[in-house]
Amino acid sequence: IYLEPIAEKIKDEILGLKVIHSDETTWPINNSKDSDGYMWIISNQKGSHYKFESTRSGKVIKETLGNYQGTVMSDGYSAYTQFKKENSNIKSALCHAHARRYFWDILESYPDCQEYIELYQTLFEVEHRAETFEQLKTLRQSESKSIIQNMFIWLNTKLLEARSETTLLKAINYSLNNWKELVLFLEDENIPLTNNEAERTIRHAVMGRKNFYGSRSINGADVTATIYTIIESCKKVELDPREYLLKTIRSAAKKEELLTPFETATTLRSQPPG
């Protein structure tokens, strides 16, 4: 009861930024009457928000994002694309690590893909050289843009050679069919190349699923989502989750104002040392 309003506030903080990351993974329900579901996440530097739902339908992300105005970074799952079509305020960016994986997976069968993977390596090296967003913006226009053009040429050239090659064709078509979303990062330096932020966030749910096999009920899954939200948001802003939880529960019992992990960290770091 005490933590649910904070989890909702964390979600609002995340949605207050221009770019969010999103992903989902299966979550078991261990009883005979309820079906398994999915743990959905949204995440950025403000925090991580988990939500259990019984479905993987696009209505979940629609309900979560509401009237959000900004860019959603995701994998190629169609639910995000469909929501973008219904909300003109949403821009969709796709993960280059996900797109690159298609070529990594077939490299042994198609050695020519090494050339494309090396273009990706160069692209990521440009990103790592930037120390500020302003430098990143400049580097993307002066260097990344031409690398992307070479990648596009490579894809179209190989497309003509790969008409009967199923796995290579699948890899090429994924990138070409989603090219607009894959190159959106060139327009906005706030958009990263990958959805690794979401991958790191969802990993905690994956490990929990392996370690304690999900939840015994839907209510239990909801509680798990709330606890994950609090703990992972604490870790993101370098707060001790245990200390934060103890302080927050005591504050709630006294009917004091409850701060999110981000608000708590900001307050602590604004205080003079001593």
Side-chain angles (χ1 to χ4, degrees), residues 87 95 150 212:
N87 186 341
C95 173
N150 289 334
F212 50 86

Side-chain angles (χ1 to χ4, degrees), residues 96 99-100 103 115-124 144-158 172 175-176 179 182-183 185 193:
H96 277 278
R100 180 179 58 179
F103 295 93
E115 182 181 358
Y116 191 70
I117 291 170
E118 288 175 359
L119 287 171
Y120 255 128
Q121 183 176 342
T122 305
L123 186 67
F124 278 95
S144 301
K145 194 171 183 179
S146 62
I147 297 169
I148 285 292
Q149 290 171 346
N150 289 334
M151 293 172 74
F152 187 70
I153 292 171
W154 188 95
L155 289 169
N156 279 283
T157 301
K158 293 300 177 181
I172 293 171
S175 289
L176 289 177
W179 196 246
L182 285 169
V183 301
F185 77 98
L193 282 183

Side-chain angles (χ1 to χ4, degrees), residues 31-90:
N31 66 53
S32 58
K33 64 176 183 176
D34 296 316
S35 300
D36 295 343
Y38 294 85
M39 198 67 78
W40 292 74
I41 66 99
I42 57 172
S43 183
N44 56 29
Q45 58 264 48
K46 284 287 186 78
S48 300
H49 184 268
Y50 295 72
K51 180 179 182 180
F52 173 82
E53 291 290 346
S54 59
T55 176
R56 202 184 178 211
S57 166
K59 70 179 183 181
V60 176
I61 197 66
K62 181 178 181 180
E63 177 185 303
T64 301
L65 298 186
N67 296 320
Y68 175 67
Q69 299 183 29
T71 300
V72 179
M73 166 67 76
S74 67
D75 56 24
Y77 181 38
S78 60
Y80 301 100
T81 305
Q82 184 60 38
F83 178 61
K84 184 197 71 169
K85 292 178 181 177
E86 298 174 7
N87 186 341
S88 59
N89 295 318
I90 294 286

Side-chain angles (χ1 to χ4, degrees), residues 130-142 189-190:
E131 297 181 358
T132 66
F133 280 110
E134 192 58 37
Q135 288 180 357
L136 182 60
K137 182 179 180 179
T138 300
L139 284 169
R140 283 180 171 180
Q141 291 304 309
S142 63
E189 65 275 14
N190 294 288

Side-chain angles (χ1 to χ4, degrees), residues 11-267:
K11 182 181 80 170
D12 292 340
E13 287 178 336
I14 294 169
L15 294 175
L17 295 185
K18 293 169 61 176
V19 178
I20 66 172
H21 298 256
S22 188
D23 204 353
E24 75 291 327
T25 190
T26 55
W27 190 260
I29 302 296
N30 297 304
N31 66 53
S32 58
K33 64 176 183 176
D34 296 316
S35 300
D36 295 343
Y38 294 85
M39 198 67 78
W40 292 74
I41 66 99
I42 57 172
S43 183
N44 56 29
Q45 58 264 48
K46 284 287 186 78
S48 300
H49 184 268
Y50 295 72
K51 180 179 182 180
F52 173 82
E53 291 290 346
S54 59
T55 176
R56 202 184 178 211
S57 166
K59 70 179 183 181
V60 176
I61 197 66
K62 181 178 181 180
E63 177 185 303
T64 301
L65 298 186
N67 296 320
Y68 175 67
Q69 299 183 29
T71 300
V72 179
M73 166 67 76
S74 67
D75 56 24
Y77 181 38
S78 60
Y80 301 100
T81 305
Q82 184 60 38
F83 178 61
K84 184 197 71 169
K85 292 178 181 177
E86 298 174 7
N87 186 341
S88 59
N89 295 318
I90 294 286
K91 291 184 178 180
S92 177
L94 290 185
C95 173
H96 277 278
H98 190 85
R100 180 179 58 179
R101 195 175 302 138
Y102 281 101
F103 295 93
W104 270 114
D105 290 345
I106 62 172
L107 183 58
E108 185 175 344
S109 300
Y110 303 99
D112 286 354
C113 292
Q114 181 64 40
E115 182 181 358
Y116 191 70
I117 291 170
E118 288 175 359
L119 287 171
Y120 255 128
Q121 183 176 342
T122 305
L123 186 67
F124 278 95
E125 287 172 353
V126 172
E127 297 283 304
H128 294 154
R129 282 164 42 208
E131 297 181 358
T132 66
F133 280 110
E134 192 58 37
Q135 288 180 357
L136 182 60
K137 182 179 180 179
T138 300
L139 284 169
R140 283 180 171 180
Q141 291 304 309
S142 63
E143 298 186 35
S144 301
K145 194 171 183 179
S146 62
I147 297 169
I148 285 292
Q149 290 171 346
N150 289 334
M151 293 172 74
F152 187 70
I153 292 171
W154 188 95
L155 289 169
N156 279 283
T157 301
K158 293 300 177 181
L159 178 65
L160 298 175
E161 305 172 3
R163 294 193 182 278
S164 62
E165 305 291 353
T166 305
T167 53
L168 179 57
L169 190 61
K170 179 181 178 181
I172 293 171
N173 279 336
Y174 177 84
S175 289
L176 289 177
N177 292 340
N178 296 292
W179 196 246
K180 180 180 178 182
E181 291 77 12
L182 285 169
V183 301
L184 186 64
F185 77 98
L186 292 173
E187 302 175 14
D188 185 349
E189 65 275 14
N190 294 288
I191 299 174
L193 282 183
T194 75
N195 200 29
N196 287 347
E197 163 70 30
E199 296 280 348
R200 288 189 293 269
T201 300
I202 208 73
R203 185 178 297 126
H204 303 295
V206 173
M207 293 305 297
R209 184 179 67 214
K210 291 180 178 179
N211 290 335
F212 50 86
Y213 310 111
S215 304
R216 294 189 65 181
S217 67
I218 291 176
N219 285 342
D222 290 337
V223 171
T224 299
T226 299
I227 296 298
Y228 269 138
T229 296
I230 302 299
I231 291 176
E232 295 308 322
S233 295
C234 282
K235 289 161 64 177
K236 183 156 289 183
V237 295
E238 299 181 344
L239 288 181
D240 183 298
R242 179 181 174 84
E243 291 183 6
Y244 172 83
L245 284 167
L246 288 172
K247 181 178 179 181
T248 298
I249 292 171
R250 288 168 182 156
S251 296
K254 297 176 183 178
K255 300 188 183 304
E256 297 174 346
E257 180 185 6
L258 302 182
L259 301 180
T260 65
F262 180 81
E263 289 174 327
T264 301
T266 301
T267 300

